[in-house]
Amino acid sequence: MTASPMLSPQDEAGIARRAIPLLDLTDLGDACRASAIDTLCRAAREGSVAAVCVWPQFVGQCLRGLHGDPIAVATVVNFPTGGEDIERTVEDTVQALRDGAQEIDLVMPYGALLRGELAPVRDMIQAVREVCDQGQPLKVILETGVLGNSEPIAEASRIALESGADFIKTSTGKTAVSATPEAAEVMLKAIRDHGSGGLKISGGLKTVANAATYLSLADGIMGPGWATPKTMRLGASSLYADLARARDAVP
């Protein structure tokens, strides 16, 4: 991630207060247990974040643990490998929605895109969009660290948005390279050019300075005030602790 300018405690507190409502507080660890989900839900309620994002088997537990708070429960499908089995992915999505998932994070079949086979990419996104028929937000994960440079990231962004994605998301957090400001800039420009859509940054977000970098990018490309929970999310497992520290340091 590119270096961020030094921030005063007042700057950090302001960024934290902007960023916390945008959080998709996440636990997609391979060893995730029910006790960790309870902790996640407590932190989500304390912070009044936008959503929690968990493995499908924990959706029901999150719904109970959030006690009716207006925090969405998101889950993942076709995750993390970005396979090409559309039927299986649709079945998993339908089951997640039956279990009460309110947002779906779908991994694009990015291998097909890299081979130049665009039809399977469009078909999967459109098929999942169709089963999210009650308006559940669909976030499409591009896996930008694997796509690599700006051209395939821009193409993936366009295809996802044209196929019905509500958000385009940088990464699963499971690859060597996750979110980068360079990828986020390409994605924001695609959203701007498309005329609608949101951005989710995921993978490697740990500090207030990281959040500041992406908020500054969004402000510069989309305009101040664009970044709200309906248009921008920050997906992270450990970022909340640093944001809460900064928020609480300045009354």
Side-chain angles (χ1 to χ4, degrees):
M1 180 170 293
T2 57
S4 298
M6 293 296 293
L7 300 169
S8 70
Q10 290 78 14
D11 291 336
E12 284 199 333
I15 291 160
R17 292 181 181 122
R18 284 189 68 190
I20 288 172
L22 307 180
L23 284 181
D24 280 11
L25 204 56
T26 301
D27 194 332
L28 294 169
D30 294 337
C32 182
R33 297 291 184 269
S35 58
I37 296 300
D38 289 338
T39 300
L40 186 81
C41 289
R42 284 194 295 272
R45 295 182 70 206
E46 189 276 335
S48 296
V49 302
V52 294
C53 186
V54 297
W55 292 107
Q57 62 266 33
F58 295 118
V59 166
Q61 182 181 345
C62 285
L63 290 169
R64 296 187 296 273
L66 293 172
H67 302 294
D69 280 14
I71 297 167
V73 177
T75 195
V76 290
V77 295
N78 205 32
F79 187 96
T81 55
E84 298 172 31
D85 189 336
I86 296 174
E87 183 177 357
R88 173 63 183 273
T89 302
V90 168
E91 289 174 356
D92 289 346
T93 304
V94 169
Q95 185 59 58
L97 295 172
R98 286 175 179 163
D99 291 341
Q102 296 155 320
E103 300 183 356
I104 297 294
D105 287 31
L106 161 72
V107 183
M108 169 186 285
Y110 54 87
L113 185 140
L114 288 172
R115 297 194 304 270
E117 299 173 11
L118 305 185
V121 181
R122 293 191 178 96
D123 289 348
M124 178 174 286
I125 297 169
Q126 290 169 356
V128 174
R129 172 76 272 167
E130 287 176 7
V131 299
C132 295
D133 58 359
Q134 300 301 313
Q136 296 94 342
L138 173 61
K139 311 186 200 98
V140 176
I141 305 169
L142 310 186
E143 204 66 285
T144 55
V146 176
L147 295 180
N149 60 46
S150 60
E151 186 174 341
I153 293 171
E155 183 173 40
S157 299
R158 288 193 298 269
I159 290 171
L161 292 165
E162 290 169 359
S163 300
D166 297 295
F167 284 77
I168 47 177
K169 176 178 171 180
T170 54
S171 49
T172 61
K174 302 289 188 180
T175 56
V177 177
S178 292
T180 65
E182 293 78 14
E185 181 176 356
V186 173
M187 295 165 73
L188 283 165
K189 288 178 178 177
I191 293 166
R192 181 194 63 194
D193 294 346
H194 183 69
S196 64
L199 174 70
K200 180 173 175 179
I201 305 296
S202 181
L205 291 172
K206 298 182 183 300
T207 68
V208 174
N210 294 158
T213 295
Y214 291 108
L215 287 170
S216 177
L217 268 175
D219 289 347
I221 294 170
M222 306 301 291
W226 176 82
T228 73
K230 291 185 177 181
T231 56
M232 188 168 184
R233 300 286 183 86
L234 304 173
S237 56
S238 57
L239 175 61
Y240 176 68
D242 201 43
L243 293 175
R245 171 201 59 78
R247 177 199 61 194
D248 297 340
V250 178

